[in-house]
């Protein structure tokens, strides 16, 4: 039998009410989504760092081994 531990108390999943199992399923779903989002954030941060290094190299300001700090305005537009 599967069990879960909440606040140092163990519960047998089969003994939970249907509503408690629904809530448990919702918590598991949200936990999975948080992991998925964290992986996407890590990928986006990696891409941002690569773009920032490429921009710094293009501008001739790259520093060896460091990701450049960019302070970009939110309203940049390109024509």
């Amino acid at each position: 039998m599967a069990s879960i531990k909440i606040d140092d108390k163990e519960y047998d999943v089969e003994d939970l009410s249907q509503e408690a199992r629904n809530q448990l399923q919702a918590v598991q779903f949200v936990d999975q989504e948080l992991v998925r989002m964290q992986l996407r954030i890590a990928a986006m941060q990696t891409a941002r760092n690569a773009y920032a290094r490429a921009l710094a190299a293009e501008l001739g300001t790259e520093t060896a081994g460091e990701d450049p700090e960019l302070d970009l305005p939110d309203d940049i537009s390109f024509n």
Side-chain angles (χ1 to χ4, degrees):
M1 285 189 245
S3 63
I4 61 168
K5 188 182 269 191
I6 300 172
D7 293 332
D8 292 325
K9 186 172 181 184
E10 203 159 308
Y11 299 88
D12 186 354
V13 173
E14 291 180 11
D15 293 338
L16 298 177
S17 68
Q18 184 60 49
E19 181 59 25
R21 282 182 278 186
N22 291 345
Q23 295 299 326
L24 176 59
Q25 187 175 20
V27 169
Q28 290 172 323
F29 169 76
V30 170
D31 283 347
Q32 290 170 353
E33 286 299 299
L34 286 169
V35 167
R36 187 181 67 78
M37 288 178 169
Q38 290 167 346
L39 291 172
R40 286 191 70 182
I41 288 170
M44 294 296 106
Q45 188 63 51
T46 299
R48 185 190 190 283
N49 291 344
Y51 289 130
R53 283 192 304 272
L55 175 60
E58 182 68 24
L59 298 174
T61 61
E62 72 181 308
T63 54
E66 294 182 23
D67 291 326
E69 287 190 34
L70 301 178
D71 186 13
L72 304 175
D74 294 332
D75 59 350
I76 293 178
S77 63
F78 301 95
N79 296 332

